[in-house]
Amino acid sequence: MQEVVAIGEILIQFNAFTPGPLRYVNYFEKHIAGSELNYCIAITMIGNKCYFVGRVGDDEFGRNAVEYARGRGVDVSYIKVDPEAPTGIYFVQRHFPVPDKSEMAYYRKGSAGSRLSPEDLPEELLKRVRLVHSTGITMAISDTARQAVLRAFELAKFKSFDTNIRLKLWSADKARETIRKVLDNLEFLITDPDDSKILIGETDPDRAAKIFIEKYGVKYLVYKLGPKGALVYYDGAKYEAPGYHVRVEDPTGAGDALGGVFISSILSGYTPENAIRYAIVAATLVVTIRGDNENIPTLKDIEKFLNGY
Ligand code: KDG
């Protein structure tokens, strides 16, 4: 079993029970989410160990977040409780104004999670584990959180990063300038055409891969294409995994499930070809429900899915 550390913010998600503009939604369903937690759960579901590093508030939602993460098999020993700020929340609006897509409304400014700082880092653990993972979200939420990611990556043996640029959290210029600081020598880079355009001005997968691999030294590039599937570039080869056509309830979290299952499968010794097939299954299952991580499958579930198709 390999050990991974994910650094980020756990958020409480209020998912619109009905589709349409949030102003007309009367019921919300609570879930526990946040990109790096979704990754951590995906890594765990595939049989590797994941530690979550971050902060929650000293409130009911913070306790809920930690209990949920622990219940999903995540190691929560390095989640700090911050008495000075609340646990962050957000709402998900579904199928409006674009059918099959969701939008987020964040209420997280000054949250406990955004107060993550380099002092929260378990340095020995970060030096020891197989992989340290974070995302563009954590680099966007505060200066101290960004410094924490930079410091963690200095300590890490191997690094993994999902660009996850959320333009509600920062500008494209700030995202480009900041994320470029962590692109060098990543073992895993997970991105998509929108983020790639912001970062390197390129949406074409082959041309983007050339830049990320040759200029920045990325080892495994996972290029997500939404419902169309994903591509993996590794060691001079390209692997294509098409998406499955399913009814979309809420796509939020699908990219994290895809990235987390891919990474964990590689760490477990699967080939890139199989790892990306498994990852696509995970993303497919996630879009069929509300909630980011409840539908992330085990390898056994993935096998059943593939046999059933
Ligand atoms: O990828 C899914 C995440 O975007 C969602 O869980 C919320 O972490 C989140 C964020 O900051 O957008």
Side-chain angles (χ1 to χ4, degrees):
M1 185 190 283
Q2 304 285 351
E3 292 186 312
V4 178
V5 172
I7 302 171
E9 177 170 22
I10 305 183
L11 293 166
I12 306 298
Q13 176 190 95
F14 292 96
N15 202 308
F17 199 64
T18 46
L22 282 187
R23 78 194 95 142
Y24 301 122
V25 173
N26 295 319
Y27 297 101
F28 293 91
E29 189 178 77
K30 188 186 66 171
H31 295 268
I32 313 293
S35 174
E36 301 81 5
L37 176 69
N38 300 335
Y39 263 89
C40 228
I41 291 174
I43 284 160
T44 304
M45 293 301 284
I46 301 301
N48 290 300
K49 182 174 172 93
C50 190
Y51 298 84
F52 190 88
V53 172
R55 289 190 187 196
V56 295
D58 185 10
D59 47 32
E60 283 304 313
F61 287 152
R63 289 184 267 286
N64 189 182
V66 174
E67 282 179 14
Y68 180 77
R70 185 189 293 117
R72 298 299 309 272
V74 171
D75 190 307
V76 298
S77 319
Y78 300 96
I79 299 181
K80 281 196 183 164
V81 176
D82 184 337
E84 309 285 326
T87 305
I89 69 170
Y90 71 112
F91 294 81
V92 178
Q93 168 173 294
R94 298 185 297 111
H95 295 280
F96 186 87
V98 184
D100 289 354
K101 294 218 169 157
S102 296
E103 274 190 17
M104 287 162 236
Y106 295 121
Y107 293 80
R108 67 192 301 182
K109 232 190 172 94
S111 65
S114 71
R115 285 154 55 89
L116 172 74
S117 84
E119 292 91 76
D120 298 332
L121 300 175
E123 298 211 345
E124 289 313 308
L125 180 76
L126 290 163
K127 284 187 207 159
R128 185 192 84 208
V129 291
R130 171 67 181 77
L131 190 72
V132 175
H133 174 80
S134 196
T135 74
I137 295 170
T138 305
M139 298 201 86
I141 54 180
S142 71
D143 287 349
T144 57
R146 186 186 69 247
Q147 285 156 13
V149 176
L150 293 172
R151 175 70 186 139
F153 275 15
E154 268 169 29
L155 297 165
K157 280 192 287 218
F158 299 102
K159 302 162 291 181
S160 153
F161 193 78
D162 186 327
T163 53
N164 262 350
I165 298 175
R166 303 283 184 261
L167 292 173
K168 286 191 172 165
L169 297 176
W170 55 356
S171 69
D173 285 347
K174 185 86 179 123
R176 180 185 317 108
E177 180 202 318
T178 309
I179 292 178
R180 278 192 176 176
K181 293 189 184 136
V182 294
L183 285 181
D184 281 333
N185 300 317
L186 292 169
E187 185 170 10
F188 297 95
L189 175 65
I190 296 93
T191 193
D192 63 18
D194 289 343
D195 287 6
S196 173
K197 181 157 199 233
I198 291 173
L199 292 172
I200 56 168
E202 189 57 79
T203 54
D204 175 75
D206 292 351
R207 286 202 296 265
K210 204 168 152 54
I211 297 171
F212 285 125
I213 291 168
E214 288 178 11
K215 180 162 175 210
Y216 291 99
V218 167
K219 192 167 168 199
Y220 291 92
L221 173 70
V222 179
Y223 207 77
K224 297 177 286 185
L225 299 172
K228 291 201 190 116
L231 304 170
V232 172
Y233 295 84
Y234 168 69
D235 202 17
K238 174 180 171 184
Y239 304 89
E240 300 183 33
Y244 296 92
H245 191 77
V246 288
R247 192 185 56 77
V248 175
E249 181 73 3
D250 172 20
T252 315
D256 304 331
L258 188 150
V261 167
F262 179 80
I263 291 168
S264 200
S265 302
I266 293 289
L267 297 186
S268 292
Y270 291 95
T271 60
E273 195 174 9
N274 282 330
I276 195 63
R277 279 175 66 219
Y278 301 166
I280 291 287
V281 172
T284 303
L285 289 168
V286 166
V287 306
T288 63
I289 58 152
R290 295 182 296 276
D292 290 18
N293 51 56
E294 290 88 339
N295 256 16
I296 297 175
T298 60
L299 284 170
K300 230 181 176 167
D301 298 325
I302 292 171
E303 221 174 89
K304 275 194 194 168
F305 179 108
L306 292 170
N307 287 335
Y309 243 83

